[in-house]
Amino acid sequence: MNERPQDAGGEPPPAPGSGDAFLRIEGVSKRFGSVTAVDDVSLDIGRGEFFALLGPSGCGKTTLLRMLAGFETPSAGALLLEGVDLAALPPYRRPVNMMFQSYALFPHMTVAGNVAFGLRQDRVPRAEIATRVADALALVELSALARRKPHQLSGGQRQRVALARSLVKRPRLLLLDEPLAALDKKLREQTQFELMAIQQRVGITFVIVTHDQDEAMTVADRIAVMDRGCIAQVDTPSAIYEAPRSRYVAEFIGDVNIFDGRASAVNGNDIVVDQADAPGGLAAPARADGPAAGDPVLLAVRPEKIEIAAELPPPGTANAMAGEVTEIAYLGSTSTYRVRLDSGKTVVSTQTNRLHRAGAVIDRGARVHLSWPVEASILLRS
């Protein structure tokens, strides 16, 4: 049977998000003069959770992280770690460590010296420093490089030195500010899984700031999507992707097609939406808080949910429309089709390339039919 790793205090952390919040952010705002960078944000983060703050540049995610670290002071609200108000503690007294995007390694020090630096500052006994540095380097698989200088390391190795330095002080909360941004795509993807494995082994709560949707979806137990200083949605990666609550979240996370329409009727468990490009109307699962007949609505569908075919779909197929293929992007495992409907609107469909084929089944300029199941439709707020 697998067991969750122990945290620095020696007790297994509870499942992410369970019980009382380990970290509670209550109505926190941060203003710089007339500019509000963070606007009345409230979040609960569980012990042992890997939590992501996701959003574009300027949305307030890094400012929120800096307030947790103590580098900025909230204009309003409270930051509580295990019930203790962090505002009363200077940065060096907080059981929090922060890993910066730049890594900020000392070029004249060895790998071991960089990792040991914070412990020396805290006057930890020399023997204990040696043991903890050795454990931290083993954790990130850099024991053999302990005597090297930063300029002798690859980007991924420098990233792991910075992570070891952040973990060696045994913080109860680790903050990561775009920690993988300097790595190339392939190394970044590999390091994401390494970071997840390390977090699971040490059992420390991680809060990562990133603008990379794929990165957040890969590493996080839950994601807070931020927009102009506010929280747009907090949920698991699958719920954020499959059930976004607004157009902003749907468009920020992955690719999406959005249709403007008007609710016309509820047909059993489905709501029917009148839409100019779909003669038979569009359909989505009805819900208790759904729109009334006549209300304007937005209906979203992910490209991989849309089937594309040269043949007409069977009679009565929900969510059917037709158009002309204008562009095809072959991406190896998938192909992306851009289809111009008769109205001029472009719809994107992504198909898995399951079989090796000598030629394209559907060519550019072909007349095609698009369809998708009712359960793939998502009703959105504008």
Side-chain angles (χ1 to χ4, degrees):
M1 183 177 68
N2 293 328
E3 295 182 355
R4 285 183 61 81
Q6 293 189 338
D7 64 11
E11 297 180 1
S18 65
D20 293 337
F22 173 72
L23 174 64
R24 175 158 289 166
I25 300 170
E26 295 183 344
V28 168
S29 297
K30 178 62 181 178
R31 292 178 288 275
F32 296 97
S34 61
V35 176
T36 300
V38 176
D39 190 4
D40 194 23
V41 166
S42 293
L43 283 172
D44 281 356
I45 298 174
R47 183 189 301 273
E49 188 170 17
F50 203 139
F51 193 90
L53 297 171
L54 174 66
S57 297
C59 72
K61 58 189 186 296
T62 296
T63 300
L64 184 56
L65 203 73
R66 289 176 61 82
M67 285 190 282
L68 289 170
F71 303 140
E72 301 287 353
T73 303
S75 303
L79 302 167
L80 304 173
L81 184 66
E82 296 184 297
V84 176
D85 190 354
L86 291 178
L89 301 174
Y92 62 89
R93 293 284 305 279
R94 300 183 185 196
V96 176
N97 225 336
M98 185 164 176
M99 180 176 165
F100 297 94
Q101 180 177 344
S102 64
Y103 307 153
L105 302 179
F106 297 109
H108 63 286
M109 290 185 182
T110 63
V111 166
N114 270 280
V115 175
F117 179 78
L119 299 178
R120 291 197 183 106
Q121 293 291 101
D122 292 345
R123 301 181 185 277
V124 174
R126 184 175 298 179
E128 184 179 349
I129 290 176
T131 299
R132 287 168 65 172
V133 168
D135 290 345
L137 290 179
L139 181 67
V140 298
E141 300 180 353
L142 288 178
S143 299
L145 306 182
R147 294 183 178 276
R148 289 194 184 180
K149 300 287 183 65
H151 73 274
Q152 297 173 304
L153 305 176
S154 68
Q157 289 166 340
R158 288 194 293 271
Q159 186 267 348
R160 283 187 278 162
V161 174
L163 180 60
R165 185 179 59 186
S166 298
L167 292 171
V168 77
K169 294 184 69 174
R170 299 174 181 169
R172 297 210 293 275
L173 174 65
L174 182 63
L175 310 175
L176 303 104
D177 184 13
E178 302 274 8
L180 311 181
L183 306 181
D184 63 63
K185 183 177 186 296
K186 201 168 191 69
L187 182 56
R188 186 165 65 247
E189 291 172 352
Q190 173 189 330
T191 307
Q192 288 167 6
F193 287 99
E194 292 175 356
L195 193 60
M196 293 164 62
I198 289 170
Q199 191 267 343
Q200 288 165 9
R201 287 202 294 272
V202 298
I204 293 172
T205 301
F206 280 22
V207 178
I208 186 172
V209 155
T210 180
H211 66 276
D212 186 322
Q213 302 96 321
D214 291 340
E215 183 171 292
M217 297 282 283
T218 299
V219 304
D221 297 311
R222 287 190 303 146
I223 299 170
V225 182
M226 295 191 67
D227 177 26
R228 293 171 291 183
C230 300
I231 301 295
Q233 186 171 344
V234 180
D235 228 319
T236 62
S238 59
I240 290 277
Y241 186 81
E242 300 288 353
R245 297 178 193 161
S246 66
R247 181 171 192 156
Y248 172 80
V249 174
E251 291 182 329
F252 191 77
I253 301 292
D255 296 320
V256 70
N257 298 285
I258 295 182
F259 301 92
D260 295 283
R262 193 170 293 275
S264 63
V266 174
N267 182 12
N269 293 324
D270 303 336
I271 185 164
V272 179
V273 176
D274 290 334
Q275 210 280 332
D277 293 299
L282 300 178
R287 62 184 194 218
D289 61 345
D295 287 349
V297 296
L298 297 176
L299 187 145
V301 59
R302 299 291 184 183
E304 71 276 9
K305 314 288 189 184
I306 300 178
E307 293 292 334
I308 182 170
E311 304 82 16
L312 277 166
T317 299
N319 303 321
M321 50 186 57
E324 178 184 325
V325 177
T326 58
E327 299 290 342
I328 303 173
Y330 177 77
L331 303 174
S333 60
T334 62
S335 289
T336 298
Y337 298 84
R338 294 177 64 84
V339 178
R340 184 174 60 237
L341 307 180
D342 295 337
S343 66
K345 178 180 177 63
T346 294
V347 175
V348 178
S349 170
T350 300
Q351 303 295 305
T352 302
N353 296 321
R354 297 184 180 90
L355 301 174
H356 175 73
R357 298 185 177 97
V361 174
I362 297 174
D363 292 320
R364 187 179 288 107
R367 182 76 177 175
V368 294
H369 298 274
L370 306 174
S371 62
W372 63 91
V374 174
E375 58 270 21
S377 297
I378 309 165
L379 289 179
L380 298 176
R381 299 192 305 267
S382 57

